[in-house]
């Protein structure tokens, strides 16, 4: 800060300083001045000196005081209070400094201070206007910036909402919108959906973690993007490892097949990373439909289903949508959905097919066969629903119900005759897996119904899993331990490790009907004798299924087969028919 | 209309803003009718506020001066407000013409105003940022450009934290900010506290709750932890007027007790 020299001859610096200090004290707090206190005093001392010069000037001209007023404001001594305090301090202090009294120099001081006030007020007004203007401009600017930022973030948000972060491809929402637009606006006649599943991805993620999984995915996405661009078809990442390509008006199935082959070729190239060579594979489901009347949801569902078919075929395959197959699967699906309710509503019932002893044609047992009285589809045979029940896990509950019915029926027959038939009930592998549950059910039932255990037989299908599964073996042993009979169903139809038969606690081999059906009186090659012998060697009884003619029966008798089952001896029938049959027999015996 | 969460805060000149109120109290005219109406209400309850604001601003000046003299060349001023008088870059550049400064404020008008003011000056920038998202500030492109986090930095958090309520975790925010600074860095804090407050606290608080940034009330003891392991330089965390005053104790000194703002500067060991 420069202190202007005091006008010579009037006063010395210390007087000036004292006035400046008093002035500073008077205006302290009236406004904020961004200066250290000493600097404020220096600055005020400068003003004081100048004012003194104006006051004592010859001739007297107060106008420079106006400028000092402006400068005061410029130095940020800027508030109404500052002016007020300034005037009172200066009115008091300037005249003594000038060596005169206020009275003698009154007019001059007054004119000086009024000039200062004019300058000060003008400065303050200018400053206020400037500041108002600058904040207004800042507001306008900020408004523009905010709107811009808002627009950008909305843009970004909109982009993010319809694009996949990892691959940058349009996402499912975007794709669905695109498809909906296409359906709505027409333009194309046909559209094909190429639904791509990267089948290798799960294994990569499982083995190498998400980072490499994502890496493989982005590389795949890039490859697909390049291909899609060159083909001119829009592409989206549908979900996880699924991509979808939209083909407008494809030039027939061969064209689609060509695209699918190209995609698979592109995607099945391994992905290189720093340390790994990741084998890649893909499957594709193709759906080609006319746009007219298209339902986007339905097309995508069809595409998803077709992709599943392709996956089931093996790796790097594609499949074309097949309406008949789809209908079947949908029907199957519906049926599965009906199962649980059907069990609740007791829509399942049993029919019984005689198991006959060849020796005397006596009915020594019956096989209980399940039927479903479906409210819409009518009577259904087990072939239609047993697999579904197994897949959906309903088989355990259903099996339990059927066992109950069968045991109660067996008990009825036991009351009726002295040599009642045993009832043979099929049990499925899931029921066996529920070993303890099955054992408990059977045990409780026998007790509750009061049925002799040997009047119940459980049929298990010859299955590859039984011999290797100690748990299942134990269950069979336990059930046999109750005294319940066990039969091995469909014997010879599947994989058999003959070795395990030795130790299996079964009583009967039920020889699969295919052997009987294939047998001709002229046949020289038949496995039937060997199968019967095998049963006997294992000390099991042999029962031949599917016997439909007298000739077959006689042949079986000739090779020593013990029991038979088949239309020739009786179809599956209502319990009441079996009852009549039994009554006839016992009457004959009497 | 629903504002998306990621949108920058809007500009509503009908709603008083802490930045413009503060300018008004410092004698500035960078404010609107709504601000002035609110200021009048505040003044009716607490007529000392302009003095408090001045004392706070004076502390900022003294602190920046001292930091520049200690060799600091980069300043991050969060909650910088509307540049009125004695801005950080002006004070710092008096000592060190190469000092670099980044001003950060939540108020878009304050930021716009700052950017106009510093336009064309190299090494100075103003960005919009929310101290409640310290990561965003620390990783802001402009901040990264101007501030080298391997060299000591002065972090200025002046009269800001009283606008950060406890539920926004000011302790966590400060820890994150401190953590980003290298050893030898400084942290200057001033904070409005209620210890010495002689006016109606609740009234002031409720008035500020109508602004874009409602106030929190804390005591001096609650401000201390914001320094973390930084070592407070002399004279510690004191009334804002008592922090290295540049004048013999006078009116301001007397006002110290009622200034209602504590201030301190800490150094990262
Ligand atoms: C009282 S002023 C202080 C200005 C300046 N630091 C000073 O002391 O002179 C408080 C400033 O903090 C700003 N502010 C309030 N909340 C904030 C937040 N969450 N993030 C950044 N700035 C904020 C306000 O917009 C206002 O400009």
């Amino acid at each position: 800060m420069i202190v202007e020299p005091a006008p010579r001859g009037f006063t010395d610096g210390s007087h000036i300083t004292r006035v400046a200090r008093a002035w500073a004290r008077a205006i302290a707090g009236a406004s904020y001045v961004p200066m250290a206190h000493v600097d404020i005093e220096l600055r005020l001392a400068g003003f004081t000196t100048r004012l003194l010069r104006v006051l004592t000037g010859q001739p007297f001209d107060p106008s420079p005081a106006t400028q000092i007023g402006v400068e005061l404001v410029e130095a940020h001594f800027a508030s109404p209070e500052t002016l007020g305090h300034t005037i009172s301090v200066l009115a008091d202090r300037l005249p003594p400094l000038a060596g005169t009294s206020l009275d003698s120099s009154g007019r001059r001081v007054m004119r000086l201070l009024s000039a200062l006030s004019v300058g000060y007020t003008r400065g303050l007004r200018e400053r206020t206007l400037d500041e108002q203007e600058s904040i207004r401009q800042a507001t306008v600017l900020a408004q523009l910036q905010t709107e811009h930022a808002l627009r950008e973030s909305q843009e970004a948000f909109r982009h993010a909402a319809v694009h996949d972060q990892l691959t940058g491809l349009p996402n499912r929402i975007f794709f669905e919108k695109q498809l909906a637009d296409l359906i709505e606006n027409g333009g194309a006649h046909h559209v094909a959906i190429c639904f791509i599943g990267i089948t290798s991805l799960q294994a990569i993620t499982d083995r190498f973690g998400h980072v490499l999984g994502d890496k493989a995915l982005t590389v795949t996405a890039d490859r697909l993007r390049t291909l899609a661009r060159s083909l001119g078809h829009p592409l989206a990442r549908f979900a996880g490892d699924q991509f979808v390509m939209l083909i407008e008006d494809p030039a027939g199935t061969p064209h689609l097949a060509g695209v699918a082959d190209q995609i698979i070729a592109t995607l099945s190239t391994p992905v290189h990373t720093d340390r790994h060579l990741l084998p890649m594979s893909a499957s594709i489901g193709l759906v080609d439909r006319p746009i007219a009347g298209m339902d986007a949801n339905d097309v995508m569902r069809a595409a998803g289903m077709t992709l599943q078919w392709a996956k089931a075929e093996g790796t790097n395959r594609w499949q074309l949508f097949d309406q008949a197959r789809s209908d079947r699967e949908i029907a199957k699906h519906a049926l599965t959905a009906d199962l649980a309710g059907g069990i609740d509503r007791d829509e399942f019932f049993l029919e019984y097919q005689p198991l006959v002893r060849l020796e005397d044609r006596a009915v020594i047992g019956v096989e209980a066969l399940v039927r479903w009285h479906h409210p819409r589809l009518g009577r259904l045979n087990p072939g239609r629903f047993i697999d579904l029940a197994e897949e959906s896990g309903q088989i355990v509950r259903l099996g339990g119900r059927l066992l109950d019915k069968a045991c109660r029926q067996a008990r009825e027959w036991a009351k009726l005759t002295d040599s009642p038939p045993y009832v043979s009930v099929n049990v499925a592998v899931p029921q066996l897996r529920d070993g303890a549950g099955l054992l408990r059910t059977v045990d409780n039932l026998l007790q509750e119904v009061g049925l002799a255990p040997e009047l119940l037989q459980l049929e298990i299908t010859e299955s590859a899993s039984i011999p290797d599964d100690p748990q299942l073996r134990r269950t069979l042993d336990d059930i046999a331990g109750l005294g319940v009979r066990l039969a091995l169903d469909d014997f010879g139809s599947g994989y058999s490790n003959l070795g395990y038969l030795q130790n299996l606690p079964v009583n009967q081999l039920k020889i699969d009907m295919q052997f009987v059906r294939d047998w001709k009186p002229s046949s020289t090659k038949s496995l039937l004798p060997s199968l019967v012998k095998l049963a006997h060697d294992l000390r099991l009884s042999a029962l031949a299924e599917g016997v439909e003619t007298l000739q077959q029966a006689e042949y079986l008798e000739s090779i020593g087969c013990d029991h038979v089952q088949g239309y020739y001896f009786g179809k599956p029938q209502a319990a009441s028919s079996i009852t009549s049959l039994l009554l006839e027999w016992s009457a004959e015996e009497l | 209309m629903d504002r998306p969460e990621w949108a920058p805060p809007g500009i509503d000149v009908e709603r008083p803003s802490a930045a413009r109120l503060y300018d008004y109290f410092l004698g500035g005219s960078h404010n609107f009718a709504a601000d002035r109406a609110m200021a009048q209400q505040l003044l009716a309850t607490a007529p000392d506020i302009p003095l408090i604001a001045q004392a706070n601003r004076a502390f900022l000046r003294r602190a920046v001066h001292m930091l520049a003299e200690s060799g600091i060349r980069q300043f991050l001023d969060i909650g910088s407000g509307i540049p009125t008088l004695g801005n950080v870059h002006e004070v710092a550049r008096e000592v060190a013409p190469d000092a670099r400064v980044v001003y950060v404020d939540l108020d878009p008008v304050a930021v716009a105003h700052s950017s106009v003011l510093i336009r064309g000056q190299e090494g100075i920038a103003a960005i919009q940022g929310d101290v409640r998202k310290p990561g965003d500030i620390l990783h802001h492109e402009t901040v990264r450009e101007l501030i080298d986090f391997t060299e000591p930095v002065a972090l200025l958090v002046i009269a800001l934290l009283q606008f950060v309520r406890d539920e926004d975790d000011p302790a966590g925010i400060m820890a994150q900010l401190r953590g980003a600074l290298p050893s030898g860095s400084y942290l200057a804090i001033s904070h409005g506290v209620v210890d010495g407050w002689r006016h109606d606290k609740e009234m002031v608080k409720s008035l500020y709750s109508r602004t874009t940034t409602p106030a929190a009330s804390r005591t001096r003891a609650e401000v201390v932890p914001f320094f973390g392991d930084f070592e407070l330089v002399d004279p510690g965390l004191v009334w804002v007027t008592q922090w290295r005053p540049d004048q013999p104790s006078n009116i301001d000194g007397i006002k110290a007790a009622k200034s209602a703002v504590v201030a301190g500067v800490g150094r990262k060991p």
Side-chain angles (χ1 to χ4, degrees), chain A residues 358 519 551-561:
Chain A
L358 272 176
W519 175 83
Q551 263 178 330
Q552 289 169 341
E554 283 176 344
Y555 172 70
L556 288 165
E557 196 172 4
S558 76
I559 60 168
C561 184

Side-chain angles (χ1 to χ4, degrees), chain B residues 17-20 22 26 53 56-57 60 77-82 84 104-107 110 129-133 137 156-160 162-164 190 208 212-213:
Chain B
S17 103
R20 297 191 299 258
Y22 182 70
L26 284 178
N56 177 66
R57 194 72 182 168
L60 170 66
D77 183 4
I78 307 185
S80 49
I82 292 175
T84 35
V104 183
D105 204 284
L106 182 64
D107 186 328
D130 187 339
V131 73
R132 290 167 295 187
K133 295 176 186 155
I137 295 177
L156 311 177
V157 180
I158 312 295
L160 167 65
Q162 62 255 36
F163 300 112
V164 178
S190 80
Y208 264 102
T212 42
T213 49

Side-chain angles (χ1 to χ4, degrees), chain A residues 411-422:
Chain A
R411 175 76 185 106
E412 288 302 308
W413 288 325
K415 281 192 226 156
L416 216 61
T417 96
D418 292 337
S419 50
Y422 59 81

